[in-house]
Coordinates of all heavy atoms in Angstrom, one line a residue:
M1 N -5.5 -23.4 17.0 CA -6.9 -23.5 17.4 C -7.7 -22.2 17.0 O -7.2 -21.1 17.1 CB -6.9 -23.6 18.9 CG -8.3 -23.7 19.5 SD -8.3 -24.0 21.2 CE -9.3 -25.5 21.2
S2 N -8.8 -22.4 16.4 CA -9.6 -21.3 15.9 C -10.4 -20.6 17.0 O -10.6 -21.1 18.1 CB -10.6 -21.8 14.8 OG -11.6 -22.6 15.4
E3 N -10.7 -19.3 16.7 CA -11.4 -18.4 17.6 C -12.7 -17.9 16.9 O -12.6 -17.8 15.6 CB -10.6 -17.2 18.1 CG -9.4 -17.6 18.9 CD -8.7 -16.3 19.4 OE1 -9.3 -15.2 19.5 OE2 -7.5 -16.4 19.6
T4 N -13.7 -17.6 17.6 CA -14.9 -17.0 17.0 C -15.1 -15.7 17.7 O -15.1 -15.6 18.9 CB -16.1 -17.9 17.2 OG1 -15.8 -19.2 16.6 CG2 -17.3 -17.3 16.5
T5 N -15.4 -14.6 16.9 CA -15.6 -13.3 17.5 C -16.6 -12.5 16.7 O -16.8 -12.7 15.5 CB -14.3 -12.5 17.7 OG1 -14.6 -11.4 18.4 CG2 -13.7 -12.1 16.3
T6 N -17.2 -11.5 17.3 CA -18.0 -10.5 16.7 C -17.4 -9.1 16.9 O -17.9 -8.1 16.5 CB -19.5 -10.5 17.2 OG1 -19.4 -10.2 18.6 CG2 -20.1 -11.8 16.9
D7 N -16.2 -9.1 17.6 CA -15.6 -7.8 18.0 C -14.9 -7.2 16.7 O -14.0 -7.7 16.2 CB -14.5 -8.1 19.0 CG -13.8 -6.9 19.5 OD1 -13.0 -6.3 18.7 OD2 -14.1 -6.4 20.7
H8 N -15.4 -6.0 16.3 CA -14.9 -5.4 15.1 C -13.4 -5.1 15.2 O -12.7 -5.3 14.2 CB -15.7 -4.0 14.9 CG -17.1 -4.2 14.6 ND1 -17.9 -3.2 14.1 CD2 -18.0 -5.3 14.8 CE1 -19.2 -3.6 14.0 NE2 -19.2 -4.9 14.4
D9 N -13.0 -4.5 16.3 CA -11.5 -4.2 16.4 C -10.7 -5.4 16.3 O -9.6 -5.4 15.7 CB -11.3 -3.5 17.7 CG -11.8 -2.1 17.8 OD1 -12.0 -1.5 16.7 OD2 -12.1 -1.6 18.9
K10 N -11.1 -6.5 16.9 CA -10.3 -7.8 16.9 C -10.3 -8.3 15.5 O -9.2 -8.8 15.0 CB -10.9 -8.8 17.9 CG -10.1 -10.0 18.1 CD -10.7 -10.9 19.2 CE -9.8 -12.0 19.6 NZ -10.3 -12.7 20.8
I11 N -11.4 -8.3 14.8 CA -11.5 -8.8 13.4 C -10.5 -8.0 12.5 O -9.7 -8.5 11.7 CB -12.9 -8.8 12.9 CG1 -13.8 -9.8 13.7 CG2 -12.9 -9.1 11.4 CD1 -15.3 -9.6 13.5
R12 N -10.7 -6.7 12.6 CA -9.9 -5.8 11.7 C -8.4 -5.9 12.0 O -7.6 -6.0 11.1 CB -10.4 -4.3 11.9 CG -9.7 -3.4 11.0 CD -10.3 -2.0 11.2 NE -9.6 -1.1 10.2 CZ -10.1 0.1 9.9 NH1 -11.2 0.6 10.4 NH2 -9.5 0.9 9.0
K13 N -8.0 -5.9 13.3 CA -6.6 -6.1 13.7 C -6.0 -7.4 13.1 O -5.0 -7.4 12.5 CB -6.5 -6.0 15.2 CG -5.0 -6.0 15.7 CD -5.0 -5.9 17.2 CE -3.5 -6.0 17.6 NZ -3.4 -6.0 19.1
W14 N -6.8 -8.5 13.4 CA -6.3 -9.8 12.9 C -6.1 -9.8 11.4 O -5.1 -10.2 10.8 CB -7.3 -10.9 13.3 CG -7.0 -12.1 12.6 CD1 -6.1 -13.1 12.8 CD2 -7.7 -12.6 11.4 NE1 -6.1 -14.1 11.8 CE2 -7.1 -13.8 11.0 CE3 -8.8 -12.0 10.6 CZ2 -7.6 -14.5 9.8 CZ3 -9.2 -12.7 9.5 CH2 -8.6 -13.9 9.1
A15 N -7.2 -9.3 10.7 CA -7.1 -9.3 9.2 C -6.0 -8.4 8.7 O -5.2 -8.9 7.8 CB -8.5 -8.7 8.6
E16 N -5.8 -7.2 9.2 CA -4.7 -6.4 8.7 C -3.4 -6.9 9.1 O -2.4 -6.7 8.3 CB -4.9 -5.0 9.3 CG -6.1 -4.3 8.6 CD -6.5 -2.9 9.2 OE1 -5.9 -2.5 10.2 OE2 -7.3 -2.2 8.5
Q17 N -3.2 -7.6 10.2 CA -1.9 -8.3 10.5 C -1.5 -9.3 9.5 O -0.3 -9.6 9.2 CB -2.0 -8.9 11.9 CG -1.9 -8.0 13.0 CD -2.1 -8.7 14.4 OE1 -2.6 -9.8 14.5 NE2 -1.6 -8.0 15.4
H18 N -2.5 -9.9 8.8 CA -2.3 -10.9 7.8 C -2.4 -10.4 6.4 O -2.5 -11.2 5.4 CB -3.2 -12.1 8.1 CG -2.9 -12.8 9.3 ND1 -1.9 -13.7 9.5 CD2 -3.5 -12.7 10.6 CE1 -1.8 -14.1 10.8 NE2 -2.8 -13.5 11.4
G19 N -2.6 -9.1 6.2 CA -2.8 -8.5 4.9 C -4.2 -8.6 4.4 O -4.4 -8.4 3.1
G20 N -5.1 -8.8 5.2 CA -6.5 -8.9 4.8 C -7.2 -7.6 4.6 O -6.9 -6.6 5.3
K21 N -8.2 -7.6 3.7 CA -9.0 -6.5 3.4 C -10.4 -6.9 3.3 O -10.8 -8.0 2.9 CB -8.5 -5.9 2.1 CG -7.1 -5.4 2.1 CD -6.7 -4.8 0.7 CE -5.2 -4.5 0.7 NZ -4.9 -3.3 1.5
P22 N -11.3 -5.9 3.7 CA -12.8 -6.3 3.5 C -13.2 -6.3 2.1 O -12.7 -5.5 1.3 CB -13.4 -5.1 4.3 CG -12.5 -4.0 4.2 CD -11.1 -4.6 4.2
A23 N -14.0 -7.2 1.7 CA -14.4 -7.4 0.3 C -15.9 -7.8 0.2 O -16.4 -8.3 1.2 CB -13.5 -8.4 -0.4
V24 N -16.4 -7.7 -1.0 CA -17.7 -8.2 -1.3 C -17.7 -9.0 -2.6 O -16.9 -8.7 -3.4 CB -18.7 -7.0 -1.4 CG1 -18.4 -6.1 -2.5 CG2 -20.2 -7.4 -1.4
V25 N -18.6 -10.0 -2.7 CA -18.7 -10.7 -3.9 C -19.4 -9.8 -4.9 O -20.5 -9.3 -4.7 CB -19.6 -12.0 -3.7 CG1 -19.8 -12.7 -5.0 CG2 -18.9 -12.9 -2.7
K26 N -18.6 -9.5 -6.0 CA -19.1 -8.5 -7.0 C -20.5 -8.7 -7.5 O -21.3 -7.7 -7.6 CB -18.2 -8.5 -8.2 CG -16.9 -7.8 -8.0 CD -16.1 -7.8 -9.3 CE -14.7 -7.2 -9.2 NZ -13.9 -7.3 -10.4
S27 N -20.9 -9.9 -7.8 CA -22.2 -10.2 -8.3 C -23.3 -9.9 -7.3 O -24.5 -9.8 -7.7 CB -22.3 -11.6 -8.8 OG -22.2 -12.5 -7.7
T28 N -23.0 -9.7 -6.0 CA -24.0 -9.4 -5.0 C -24.0 -8.0 -4.6 O -24.9 -7.6 -3.8 CB -23.9 -10.3 -3.8 OG1 -22.7 -10.0 -3.1 CG2 -23.9 -11.8 -4.2
H29 N -23.0 -7.2 -5.0 CA -22.8 -5.9 -4.5 C -23.9 -4.9 -5.0 O -24.1 -4.9 -6.2 CB -21.4 -5.4 -4.9 CG -21.0 -4.1 -4.2 ND1 -20.0 -3.3 -4.6 CD2 -21.3 -3.6 -3.0 CE1 -19.8 -2.4 -3.8 NE2 -20.6 -2.5 -2.8
G30 N -24.5 -4.2 -4.1 CA -25.5 -3.2 -4.5 C -26.9 -3.8 -4.7 O -27.8 -3.0 -5.1
Q31 N -27.1 -5.0 -4.5 CA -28.4 -5.6 -4.7 C -29.2 -5.6 -3.3 O -29.2 -6.6 -2.6 CB -28.3 -7.0 -5.2 CG -27.7 -7.0 -6.6 CD -27.6 -8.5 -7.2 OE1 -28.1 -9.4 -6.6 NE2 -27.0 -8.6 -8.3
G32 N -29.7 -4.5 -2.9 CA -30.4 -4.4 -1.7 C -29.5 -4.4 -0.5 O -29.9 -4.8 0.6
G33 N -28.3 -3.9 -0.6 CA -27.3 -3.8 0.5 C -25.9 -4.0 -0.1 O -25.7 -3.9 -1.3
V34 N -25.0 -4.2 0.8 CA -23.6 -4.3 0.4 C -23.4 -5.6 -0.4 O -22.8 -5.6 -1.4 CB -22.7 -4.3 1.6 CG1 -21.2 -4.6 1.3 CG2 -22.7 -3.0 2.3
G35 N -23.9 -6.7 0.1 CA -23.8 -8.0 -0.6 C -23.1 -9.0 0.3 O -23.1 -8.8 1.5
I36 N -22.6 -10.1 -0.3 CA -22.0 -11.1 0.5 C -20.6 -10.7 0.8 O -19.8 -10.5 -0.1 CB -22.0 -12.5 -0.3 CG1 -23.4 -12.9 -0.6 CG2 -21.2 -13.5 0.5 CD1 -23.6 -14.1 -1.5
I37 N -20.3 -10.6 2.1 CA -19.0 -10.1 2.5 C -18.0 -11.2 2.7 O -18.3 -12.3 3.0 CB -19.1 -9.2 3.7 CG1 -19.7 -9.9 4.9 CG2 -19.8 -7.9 3.4 CD1 -19.7 -9.1 6.2
R38 N -16.7 -10.8 2.5 CA -15.6 -11.7 2.7 C -14.4 -10.9 3.2 O -14.4 -9.7 3.1 CB -15.1 -12.4 1.4 CG -16.2 -13.2 0.7 CD -16.3 -14.6 1.3 NE -17.2 -15.4 0.6 CZ -18.5 -15.7 1.0 NH1 -19.0 -15.0 2.0 NH2 -19.2 -16.5 0.3
I39 N -13.4 -11.6 3.7 CA -12.1 -11.0 4.0 C -11.2 -11.6 3.0 O -11.0 -12.8 3.0 CB -11.6 -11.2 5.5 CG1 -12.6 -10.6 6.4 CG2 -10.2 -10.6 5.6 CD1 -12.3 -10.9 7.9
E40 N -10.6 -10.8 2.1 CA -9.7 -11.3 1.1 C -8.2 -10.9 1.5 O -8.0 -10.0 2.2 CB -10.0 -10.7 -0.3 CG -9.7 -9.3 -0.5 CD -9.8 -8.9 -1.9 OE1 -9.6 -9.7 -2.8 OE2 -10.1 -7.7 -2.1
F41 N -7.3 -11.8 1.0 CA -5.9 -11.6 1.3 C -5.2 -11.5 -0.1 O -4.7 -12.5 -0.6 CB -5.4 -12.8 2.1 CG -6.1 -12.9 3.4 CD1 -7.3 -13.5 3.6 CD2 -5.5 -12.2 4.5 CE1 -7.9 -13.6 4.8 CE2 -6.1 -12.2 5.8 CZ -7.3 -12.9 5.9
P42 N -5.2 -10.3 -0.7 CA -4.7 -10.1 -2.0 C -3.3 -10.5 -2.3 O -2.9 -10.8 -3.4 CB -5.0 -8.7 -2.4 CG -5.2 -8.0 -1.1 CD -5.7 -9.0 -0.1
D43 N -2.4 -10.5 -1.2 CA -1.0 -10.8 -1.4 C -0.7 -12.2 -1.1 O 0.5 -12.6 -1.3 CB -0.2 -9.9 -0.5 CG -0.3 -8.4 -0.9 OD1 -0.6 -8.1 -2.1 OD2 -0.2 -7.5 -0.1
A44 N -1.7 -13.0 -0.7 CA -1.4 -14.4 -0.4 C -1.3 -15.2 -1.7 O -2.0 -14.8 -2.7 CB -2.5 -15.0 0.4
P45 N -0.5 -16.3 -1.8 CA -0.4 -17.1 -3.0 C -1.8 -17.6 -3.4 O -2.6 -18.0 -2.6 CB 0.5 -18.3 -2.5 CG 1.2 -17.8 -1.3 CD 0.3 -16.8 -0.7
N46 N -2.0 -17.6 -4.7 CA -3.3 -18.2 -5.3 C -4.5 -17.5 -4.8 O -5.6 -18.1 -4.7 CB -3.4 -19.7 -5.0 CG -2.2 -20.4 -5.5 OD1 -1.8 -20.2 -6.7 ND2 -1.7 -21.4 -4.8
S47 N -4.4 -16.2 -4.4 CA -5.6 -15.5 -3.9 C -6.2 -14.5 -4.8 O -7.2 -13.9 -4.5 CB -5.1 -14.7 -2.6 OG -4.3 -13.6 -3.0
K48 N -5.7 -14.4 -6.0 CA -6.3 -13.5 -7.0 C -7.7 -14.0 -7.3 O -7.9 -15.1 -7.9 CB -5.5 -13.4 -8.2 CG -4.1 -12.9 -8.0 CD -4.2 -11.5 -7.4 CE -2.8 -11.0 -7.1 NZ -2.7 -10.0 -6.1
N49 N -8.7 -13.3 -6.9 CA -10.1 -13.7 -7.1 C -10.9 -12.5 -7.7 O -11.2 -11.5 -7.1 CB -10.8 -14.0 -5.7 CG -12.1 -14.7 -5.9 OD1 -12.8 -14.6 -6.9 ND2 -12.5 -15.5 -4.9
D50 N -11.1 -12.6 -9.0 CA -11.8 -11.6 -9.8 C -13.2 -11.4 -9.4 O -13.9 -10.4 -9.8 CB -11.7 -11.8 -11.3 CG -10.3 -11.7 -11.8 OD1 -9.4 -11.0 -11.2 OD2 -10.0 -12.3 -12.9
S51 N -13.8 -12.3 -8.6 CA -15.2 -12.1 -8.2 C -15.4 -11.3 -7.0 O -16.5 -11.0 -6.6 CB -15.8 -13.5 -8.0 OG -15.2 -14.2 -6.9
L52 N -14.2 -10.9 -6.3 CA -14.3 -10.0 -5.1 C -13.9 -8.6 -5.4 O -13.1 -8.3 -6.3 CB -13.4 -10.6 -4.0 CG -13.7 -11.9 -3.5 CD1 -12.6 -12.3 -2.5 CD2 -15.1 -12.0 -2.9
E53 N -14.5 -7.7 -4.7 CA -14.3 -6.3 -4.8 C -14.0 -5.7 -3.5 O -14.8 -5.9 -2.5 CB -15.5 -5.6 -5.5 CG -15.4 -4.1 -5.6 CD -16.7 -3.6 -6.3 OE1 -17.4 -4.3 -7.0 OE2 -17.0 -2.4 -6.0
E54 N -13.0 -4.9 -3.3 CA -12.7 -4.4 -2.0 C -13.7 -3.3 -1.6 O -14.2 -2.5 -2.5 CB -11.3 -3.7 -2.0 CG -10.8 -3.3 -0.6 CD -9.4 -2.8 -0.6 OE1 -8.6 -3.1 -1.5 OE2 -9.1 -2.0 0.3
I55 N -14.1 -3.3 -0.3 CA -15.0 -2.3 0.2 C -14.4 -1.7 1.5 O -13.3 -2.2 1.9 CB -16.4 -2.9 0.6 CG1 -16.3 -4.1 1.6 CG2 -17.1 -3.4 -0.7 CD1 -17.6 -4.6 2.1
S56 N -15.0 -0.7 2.1 CA -14.5 -0.1 3.3 C -14.9 -1.0 4.5 O -15.8 -1.8 4.4 CB -15.1 1.3 3.5 OG -16.5 1.2 3.8
W57 N -14.1 -0.8 5.6 CA -14.4 -1.6 6.8 C -15.8 -1.1 7.3 O -16.6 -1.9 7.8 CB -13.4 -1.3 7.9 CG -12.1 -2.2 7.7 CD1 -10.9 -1.7 7.3 CD2 -12.0 -3.6 7.8 NE1 -10.0 -2.8 7.2 CE2 -10.7 -4.0 7.5 CE3 -12.9 -4.6 8.1 CZ2 -10.3 -5.3 7.6 CZ3 -12.5 -5.9 8.2 CH2 -11.2 -6.2 7.9
E58 N -16.1 0.2 7.1 CA -17.5 0.6 7.5 C -18.6 -0.1 6.8 O -19.5 -0.6 7.4 CB -17.6 2.1 7.2 CG -18.9 2.8 7.6 CD -18.9 4.3 7.4 OE1 -17.9 5.0 7.7 OE2 -19.9 4.7 6.8
E59 N -18.5 -0.3 5.5 CA -19.5 -1.1 4.7 C -19.5 -2.5 5.2 O -20.6 -3.1 5.4 CB -19.2 -1.1 3.2 CG -19.4 0.2 2.5 CD -19.0 0.1 1.1 OE1 -17.8 0.1 0.8 OE2 -19.9 0.1 0.2
F60 N -18.3 -3.1 5.4 CA -18.2 -4.5 5.8 C -18.9 -4.7 7.2 O -19.7 -5.6 7.3 CB -16.7 -4.8 6.0 CG -16.4 -6.2 6.5 CD1 -16.3 -7.3 5.6 CD2 -16.3 -6.5 7.8 CE1 -16.0 -8.6 6.0 CE2 -16.1 -7.8 8.3 CZ -15.9 -8.8 7.4
F61 N -18.6 -3.8 8.2 CA -19.2 -4.0 9.5 C -20.7 -3.7 9.5 O -21.4 -4.2 10.3 CB -18.4 -3.3 10.5 CG -17.1 -4.0 10.9 CD1 -15.9 -3.3 10.7 CD2 -17.1 -5.3 11.3 CE1 -14.7 -4.0 11.0 CE2 -15.9 -6.0 11.6 CZ -14.7 -5.3 11.4
K62 N -21.2 -2.8 8.6 CA -22.6 -2.5 8.6 C -23.3 -3.8 8.2 O -24.3 -4.2 8.8 CB -22.9 -1.4 7.6 CG -24.4 -1.1 7.6 CD -24.8 0.0 6.7 CE -26.3 0.3 6.7 NZ -27.2 -0.6 7.2
Q63 N -22.8 -4.4 7.1 CA -23.4 -5.7 6.6 C -23.3 -6.8 7.7 O -24.2 -7.6 7.9 CB -22.7 -6.1 5.3 CG -23.4 -7.3 4.6 CD -24.7 -6.9 3.9 OE1 -25.3 -5.9 4.1 NE2 -25.1 -7.8 3.0
F64 N -22.1 -6.8 8.3 CA -21.8 -7.8 9.4 C -22.8 -7.7 10.5 O -23.4 -8.7 11.0 CB -20.4 -7.5 9.9 CG -19.8 -8.4 10.9 CD1 -19.3 -9.6 10.5 CD2 -19.8 -8.1 12.3 CE1 -18.7 -10.5 11.4 CE2 -19.3 -9.0 13.2 CZ -18.7 -10.2 12.8
E65 N -23.2 -6.5 10.9 CA -24.1 -6.3 12.0 C -25.6 -6.5 11.5 O -26.4 -7.1 12.2 CB -24.0 -4.9 12.7 CG -22.7 -4.8 13.5 CD -22.6 -5.8 14.6 OE1 -23.6 -6.2 15.2 OE2 -21.4 -6.2 14.9
D66 N -25.9 -6.0 10.3 CA -27.2 -6.1 9.8 C -27.7 -7.6 9.7 O -28.8 -7.9 9.8 CB -27.4 -5.5 8.4 CG -27.4 -4.0 8.5 OD1 -27.4 -3.4 9.6 OD2 -27.3 -3.3 7.4
H67 N -26.7 -8.5 9.4 CA -27.0 -9.9 9.2 C -26.5 -10.7 10.4 O -26.6 -12.0 10.3 CB -26.4 -10.4 7.9 CG -27.0 -9.8 6.7 ND1 -28.2 -10.3 6.2 CD2 -26.7 -8.7 6.0 CE1 -28.6 -9.5 5.2 NE2 -27.7 -8.5 5.0
K68 N -26.2 -10.1 11.5 CA -25.8 -10.8 12.7 C -24.8 -11.9 12.4 O -25.1 -13.1 12.7 CB -27.0 -11.3 13.4 CG -28.0 -10.2 13.9 CD -29.2 -10.8 14.6 CE -30.1 -9.7 15.1 NZ -30.7 -8.8 14.2
L69 N -23.6 -11.5 11.9 CA -22.6 -12.4 11.6 C -21.5 -12.5 12.6 O -21.4 -11.7 13.5 CB -22.0 -12.0 10.2 CG -23.0 -12.0 9.1 CD1 -22.3 -11.4 7.8 CD2 -23.6 -13.4 8.8
A70 N -20.6 -13.5 12.5 CA -19.4 -13.7 13.4 C -18.3 -14.2 12.5 O -18.6 -14.7 11.4 CB -19.7 -14.7 14.5
V71 N -17.1 -14.1 12.9 CA -15.9 -14.6 12.2 C -15.2 -15.7 13.0 O -14.9 -15.5 14.1 CB -14.9 -13.4 11.8 CG1 -13.7 -14.0 11.2 CG2 -15.6 -12.4 10.9
V72 N -15.0 -16.8 12.3 CA -14.2 -17.9 12.9 C -12.8 -17.7 12.2 O -12.8 -17.6 10.9 CB -14.8 -19.3 12.5 CG1 -13.9 -20.3 13.0 CG2 -16.2 -19.4 13.1
F73 N -11.8 -17.6 13.0 CA -10.5 -17.4 12.4 C -9.4 -18.1 13.1 O -9.5 -18.5 14.3 CB -10.1 -15.9 12.3 CG -9.9 -15.3 13.6 CD1 -8.7 -15.0 14.1 CD2 -11.0 -14.9 14.4 CE1 -8.5 -14.4 15.4 CE2 -10.9 -14.3 15.7 CZ -9.6 -14.1 16.1
E74 N -8.3 -18.3 12.4 CA -7.0 -18.9 13.0 C -6.1 -17.7 13.3 O -5.7 -17.0 12.4 CB -6.4 -19.9 12.1 CG -7.1 -21.2 11.9 CD -7.0 -22.1 13.0 OE1 -6.1 -22.0 13.8 OE2 -7.9 -23.0 13.1
P75 N -5.8 -17.5 14.6 CA -5.0 -16.3 14.9 C -3.6 -16.2 14.2 O -3.2 -15.1 13.9 CB -4.8 -16.4 16.4 CG -6.0 -17.2 16.9 CD -6.2 -18.2 15.8
K76 N -3.0 -17.4 13.9 CA -1.7 -17.4 13.3 C -1.7 -17.6 11.8 O -0.6 -17.8 11.2 CB -0.8 -18.4 14.0 CG -0.6 -18.0 15.5 CD 0.3 -19.0 16.2 CE 0.5 -18.6 17.6 NZ 1.4 -19.4 18.3
S77 N -2.9 -17.6 11.2 CA -2.9 -17.7 9.7 C -4.0 -16.8 9.2 O -4.6 -16.1 9.9 CB -3.2 -19.2 9.4 OG -4.6 -19.5 9.6
N78 N -4.2 -16.9 7.9 CA -5.3 -16.1 7.3 C -6.6 -16.9 7.1 O -7.5 -16.4 6.4 CB -4.8 -15.5 6.0 CG -4.5 -16.4 4.9 OD1 -4.7 -17.7 5.0 ND2 -4.1 -15.9 3.7
F79 N -6.7 -18.1 7.7 CA -7.9 -18.9 7.6 C -9.0 -18.1 8.3 O -8.9 -17.6 9.4 CB -7.8 -20.3 8.2 CG -9.1 -20.9 8.4 CD1 -9.7 -21.6 7.3 CD2 -9.8 -20.9 9.6 CE1 -10.9 -22.2 7.5 CE2 -11.0 -21.5 9.8 CZ -11.6 -22.1 8.7
N80 N -10.2 -18.0 7.6 CA -11.4 -17.4 8.3 C -12.6 -17.9 7.6 O -12.6 -18.4 6.4 CB -11.3 -15.9 8.2 CG -11.5 -15.3 6.9 OD1 -12.6 -14.9 6.5 ND2 -10.5 -15.3 6.0
K81 N -13.7 -17.8 8.3 CA -15.0 -18.1 7.8 C -16.0 -17.2 8.4 O -16.0 -17.0 9.7 CB -15.3 -19.6 8.1 CG -16.6 -20.0 7.5 CD -16.8 -21.5 7.7 CE -18.1 -22.0 6.9 NZ -18.3 -23.4 7.1
I82 N -16.9 -16.6 7.6 CA -17.9 -15.8 8.2 C -19.2 -16.6 8.3 O -19.6 -17.2 7.4 CB -18.1 -14.5 7.3 CG1 -16.8 -13.7 7.2 CG2 -19.3 -13.7 7.8 CD1 -16.9 -12.6 6.2
I83 N -19.7 -16.6 9.5 CA -20.9 -17.4 9.8 C -22.0 -16.6 10.5 O -21.7 -15.5 11.0 CB -20.5 -18.6 10.7 CG1 -19.9 -18.1 12.1 CG2 -19.5 -19.5 10.0 CD1 -19.7 -19.2 13.1
G84 N -23.2 -17.2 10.6 CA -24.2 -16.6 11.4 C -23.9 -16.7 12.9 O -23.4 -17.7 13.3
R85 N -24.3 -15.7 13.6 CA -24.1 -15.8 15.1 C -24.8 -17.0 15.7 O -24.3 -17.5 16.7 CB -24.5 -14.5 15.7 CG -23.5 -13.4 15.4 CD -23.9 -12.1 16.0 NE -23.1 -11.0 15.4 CZ -23.2 -9.7 15.6 NH1 -24.2 -9.3 16.3 NH2 -22.4 -8.9 15.0
D86 N -25.9 -17.4 15.2 CA -26.6 -18.5 15.7 C -25.8 -19.8 15.6 O -25.8 -20.7 16.4 CB -28.0 -18.7 15.0 CG -28.9 -17.6 15.4 OD1 -28.7 -16.9 16.4 OD2 -30.0 -17.5 14.6
S87 N -25.0 -19.9 14.5 CA -24.1 -21.0 14.3 C -22.9 -21.0 15.2 O -22.3 -22.1 15.5 CB -23.6 -21.0 12.8 OG -24.6 -21.0 11.9
A88 N -22.6 -19.9 15.7 CA -21.4 -19.7 16.6 C -21.6 -20.2 18.0 O -20.7 -20.4 18.7 CB -20.9 -18.3 16.6
K89 N -22.8 -20.4 18.4 CA -23.2 -20.8 19.8 C -22.9 -22.2 20.0 O -22.9 -23.1 19.3 CB -24.6 -20.5 20.1 CG -24.8 -19.0 20.1 CD -26.3 -18.7 20.4 CE -26.5 -17.2 20.3 NZ -27.8 -16.7 20.5

């Protein structure tokens, strides 16, 4: 069953438990902000994505808060989706 959260510690802990790292879509990085953020799992099968670039958690969460985002995730897998907080209600 999926969960939705805006809690930075919960997101980071879940991501790191599954090998996740904060990332940005390269083509959007630096264009008036960090860009479109994602959580990537570089060690997962079929996860090599040349369009993503790793960023710091600090950059990730700044963009996360600036755009009022939330994360929907499966606690026991690496499934996740970043959504607007309005969509989470």
Side-chain angles (χ1 to χ4, degrees):
M1 176 174 238
S2 66
E3 294 183 28
T4 302
T5 189
T6 60
D7 182 288
H8 295 194
D9 291 334
K10 189 171 191 174
I11 294 164
R12 185 175 182 165
K13 182 178 177 182
W14 164 81
E16 289 176 347
Q17 284 176 338
H18 295 279
K21 300 179 183 289
V24 65
V25 176
K26 283 183 187 178
S27 63
T28 67
H29 196 198
Q31 296 179 5
V34 173
I36 298 171
I37 57 173
R38 299 281 185 261
I39 298 174
E40 71 170 332
F41 298 86
D43 296 330
N46 303 317
S47 68
K48 298 299 178 205
N49 192 336
D50 291 337
S51 66
L52 296 178
E53 178 179 333
E54 189 175 333
I55 59 174
S56 70
W57 281 112
E58 183 178 310
E59 289 177 288
F60 178 91
F61 285 121
K62 180 175 183 346
Q63 188 77 345
F64 186 81
E65 290 303 326
D66 287 352
H67 292 278
K68 296 180 176 63
L69 300 173
V71 174
V72 177
F73 68 100
E74 290 285 340
K76 296 183 179 181
S77 76
N78 65 1
F79 169 80
N80 74 96
K81 184 173 183 178
I82 299 173
I83 62 172
R85 289 182 191 169
D86 291 344
S87 301
K89 294 179 181 176

